[in-house]
Amino acid sequence: DVQLQASGGGLVQAGGSLRLSCAASGFTFDDYAIGWFRQAPGKQREGVSCISRSAGSTDYANSVKGRFTIWSDNTKNTVYLQMNSLKPEDTAVYYCAADKACYGPWGYWGQGTQVTVSS
């Protein structure tokens, strides 16, 4: 079974950092893109970042460019999202998802991890 396990969320002050992890299992890691998404209360889910090892590419939402970095550790089948210079508007539940490419449609989802940034 495909499983995605997101972790690393927490409470941090504005300007602080967090690192999220998405541990994947049940599929050939190199064949899939992994994306990070977030959903704040009362808002629609939005894409944050994506990494595709097969395409050799990473992508970021404009709102996080220059602050967030995505990378993968293939030895651990894990994708990381380093989040720096966090802002209160980054507060959301963060999810990781997997599919064949960064354009989705994102067939596999992990559970969310809460990120709260206090002002």
Side-chain angles (χ1 to χ4, degrees):
D1 291 348
V2 173
Q3 290 190 353
L4 298 168
Q5 182 77 29
S7 61
L11 173 63
V12 65
Q13 288 188 332
S17 299
L18 283 173
R19 180 179 295 178
L20 304 184
S21 300
C22 178
S25 62
F27 59 92
T28 304
F29 192 62
D30 286 348
D31 291 345
Y32 280 74
I34 301 292
W36 283 100
F37 298 79
R38 66 187 182 186
Q39 188 165 21
K43 295 187 177 181
Q44 287 190 329
R45 185 178 64 202
E46 63 172 339
V48 174
S49 184
C50 179
I51 184 168
S52 172
R53 286 160 304 286
S54 61
S57 65
T58 59
D59 196 16
Y60 299 92
N62 288 335
S63 58
V64 306
K65 279 182 182 176
R67 300 189 297 123
F68 291 11
T69 303
I70 190 171
W71 77 97
S72 66
D73 183 339
N74 289 8
T75 66
K76 297 181 179 179
N77 280 12
T78 299
V79 169
Y80 300 95
L81 184 69
Q82 179 68 39
M83 307 186 296
N84 298 330
S85 302
L86 283 163
K87 305 174 182 180
E89 51 264 44
D90 293 317
T91 295
V93 178
Y94 284 70
Y95 301 87
C96 60
D99 215 304
K100 287 292 191 175
C102 277
Y103 48 79
W106 304 109
Y108 305 104
W109 289 85
Q111 90 295 351
T113 185
Q114 176 71 46
V115 171
T116 302
V117 184
S118 63
S119 57

